Amino acid sequence: MSRGLAKLLELVGDAGINAFYLKREFLFLDIPNHMYQGSLTVEKRSDKNYEVEFRNVSFQYPNTDVYALKNVSLKFRVGERLALVGQNGSGKTTFIKLLCRLYDPTEGEILLNGIDIRKYDYREYMNVFSVVFQDFQLLAYSVGQNIAACAVYDQEKVKNCCQKAGFWERVETMSEGLDTILYKDLTEEGVEISGGEEQKIAIARAMYRDSAFLILDEPTAALDPMAEYEIYTRLNEIVEDRTAIYISHRLSSCRFCDEIIVFHEGSMVQQGNHETLLAQEGGKYSELWNAQAQYYVSEAS
Ligand SMILES: Nc1ncnc2c1ncn2[C@@H]1O[C@H](COP(=O)(O)OP(=O)(O)O)[C@@H](O)[C@H]1O
Ligand SMILES: [Mg+2]
């Protein structure tokens, strides 16, 4: 009984300490969401036949007076491989943030199947997209839980996604397989993984969601050239019947895409496939291509 009482007192003490952190947590959760919430349901289509259109979209980040995106109009069809290229700061990530409604456009509108995306129920709308953002996060849970993004998951499906992302060989070397905990934050048995391996897990996670659009924002930036090559050659398999939007500042990575969109200082300056863009002399694409080709040559020599 005395031990029980001691434990009780200890827990009461802990509760007092934790309440301090919980208070901040609740304050955070109480922040009102000012974003307009629509109620329209997103039509569930097994053929993944969605069409997205940007109509004269411009955007300024809050508290800035420069346009991160200027008058972007663009339509993409289902099943396409679309690439967004451009120098750092040209607005590629901003484009994706608007598409995912992390922000609403300052001017213009974005349409899904002809309807303004603000009118859709946000949660349902999000189910249409899987995104690997540049600054994605993995948590100190097991590999499988990180890929499925939930505690209980379909083992076979996770394995399948791992294989496509090129991470399965690594999982097999782990003592607990998919149950291996990532990082040493919570347990000594946790494994540390490299940036490239983290990216592969993030790609597997995007595939597990099974949505109509797969968006990869600079997905191979932390990968070595061999792993990068592996992802590219697998991309068709990874993407399957989805629409893929592939973002990179390395032009060589995007050659295989059906349609390449070139961003420069927030505007769309060129659009077409690799050959046509390269043939447009004096265009941004050929300028970037030649600059990067030179860079690769001097790297190699
Ligand atoms: N959260 C933010 N607040 C203010 N400005 C931002 C923010 N994020 C990006 N920007 C600005 O918007 C422009 C486009 O950035 P971004 O879309 O991230 O470019 P990219 O992905 O092509 O490198 C840049 O000039 C950048 O400085
Ligand atoms: Mg970016």
Side-chain angles (χ1 to χ4, degrees):
M1 193 175 120
S2 68
R3 224 182 296 155
L5 275 176
K7 188 76 193 163
L8 185 68
L9 285 177
E10 189 188 318
L11 288 178
V12 170
D14 283 352
I17 295 167
N18 287 337
F20 171 73
Y21 296 105
L22 273 181
K23 190 173 170 196
R24 290 196 297 196
E25 192 86 10
F26 283 124
L27 280 176
F28 174 71
L29 290 175
D30 283 343
I31 296 174
N33 183 358
H34 293 299
M35 198 166 83
Y36 176 77
Q37 299 288 323
S39 56
L40 218 62
T41 55
V42 176
E43 197 186 350
K44 294 236 172 11
R45 305 191 64 131
S46 52
D47 57 358
K48 301 196 166 129
N49 200 0
Y50 297 99
E51 185 188 71
V52 173
E53 182 180 355
F54 274 61
R55 206 177 271 172
N56 303 323
V57 172
S58 298
F59 178 69
Q60 292 173 317
Y61 278 98
N63 311 321
T64 61
D65 50 9
V66 287
Y67 279 96
L69 278 186
K70 271 176 293 200
N71 211 12
V72 172
S73 291
L74 171 69
K75 211 178 211 175
F76 36 97
R77 294 175 294 273
V78 181
E80 261 186 348
R81 308 274 177 274
L82 195 77
L84 302 185
V85 303
Q87 283 154 307
N88 287 330
S90 55
K92 305 182 297 294
T93 300
T94 305
F95 178 88
I96 299 307
K97 286 182 181 165
L98 292 184
L99 181 61
C100 296
R101 277 207 79 192
L102 295 184
Y103 295 96
D104 283 327
T106 316
E107 290 152 37
E109 54 184 0
I110 305 170
L111 312 169
L112 174 72
N113 292 349
I115 297 172
D116 192 321
I117 60 171
R118 281 174 280 210
K119 297 198 174 123
Y120 289 110
D121 178 86
Y122 183 63
R123 281 182 183 274
E124 290 207 14
Y125 178 71
M126 280 319 296
N127 283 337
V128 179
F129 300 97
S130 290
V131 195
V132 180
F133 279 103
Q134 270 174 304
D135 52 354
F136 66 85
Q137 290 292 325
L138 300 181
L139 303 170
Y141 290 113
S142 73
V143 176
Q145 286 169 339
N146 267 289
I147 291 171
C150 66
V152 186
Y153 56 88
D154 178 343
Q155 297 258 350
E156 269 310 300
K157 193 171 164 193
V158 165
K159 179 178 170 184
N160 190 274
C161 295
C162 263
Q163 283 167 333
K164 285 184 192 155
F167 191 64
W168 186 246
E169 288 81 28
R170 178 74 172 90
V171 171
E172 284 182 319
T173 66
M174 296 177 174
S175 56
E176 308 283 326
L178 286 176
D179 294 325
T180 310
I181 304 287
L182 291 184
Y183 311 122
K184 298 204 183 290
D185 299 343
L186 301 179
T187 160
E188 273 300 303
E189 270 93 71
V191 294
E192 295 292 342
I193 53 173
S194 71
E197 288 169 336
E198 285 174 340
Q199 247 168 354
K200 288 180 178 178
I201 295 180
I203 292 173
R205 176 162 68 189
M207 278 186 282
Y208 187 87
R209 272 173 59 88
D210 223 2
S211 18
F213 289 84
L214 181 66
I215 302 171
L216 306 174
D217 193 352
E218 314 254 4
T220 53
L223 299 182
D224 57 66
M226 277 307 289
E228 186 181 17
Y229 179 75
E230 203 181 298
I231 292 282
Y232 297 147
T233 47
R234 281 170 196 248
L235 196 81
N236 270 333
E237 196 187 334
I238 289 176
V239 168
E240 291 165 348
D241 58 345
R242 300 180 182 104
T243 306
I245 304 179
Y246 193 85
I247 301 171
S248 185
H249 63 270
R250 280 189 220 162
L251 270 52
S252 56
S253 344
C254 298
R255 288 174 71 159
F256 59 86
C257 289
D258 309 317
E259 178 101 328
I260 300 172
I261 292 158
V262 188
F263 274 79
H264 183 57
E265 293 176 352
S267 303
M268 255 176 68
V269 291
Q270 280 175 299
Q271 184 171 5
N273 65 18
H274 174 72
E275 283 73 29
T276 47
L277 288 178
L278 204 56
Q280 292 174 12
E281 274 184 42
K284 193 73 199 162
Y285 190 85
S286 62
E287 180 194 320
L288 288 174
W289 179 266
N290 291 327
Q292 294 188 0
Q294 260 168 21
Y295 172 74
Y296 288 129
V297 171
S298 61
E299 277 275 281
S301 59

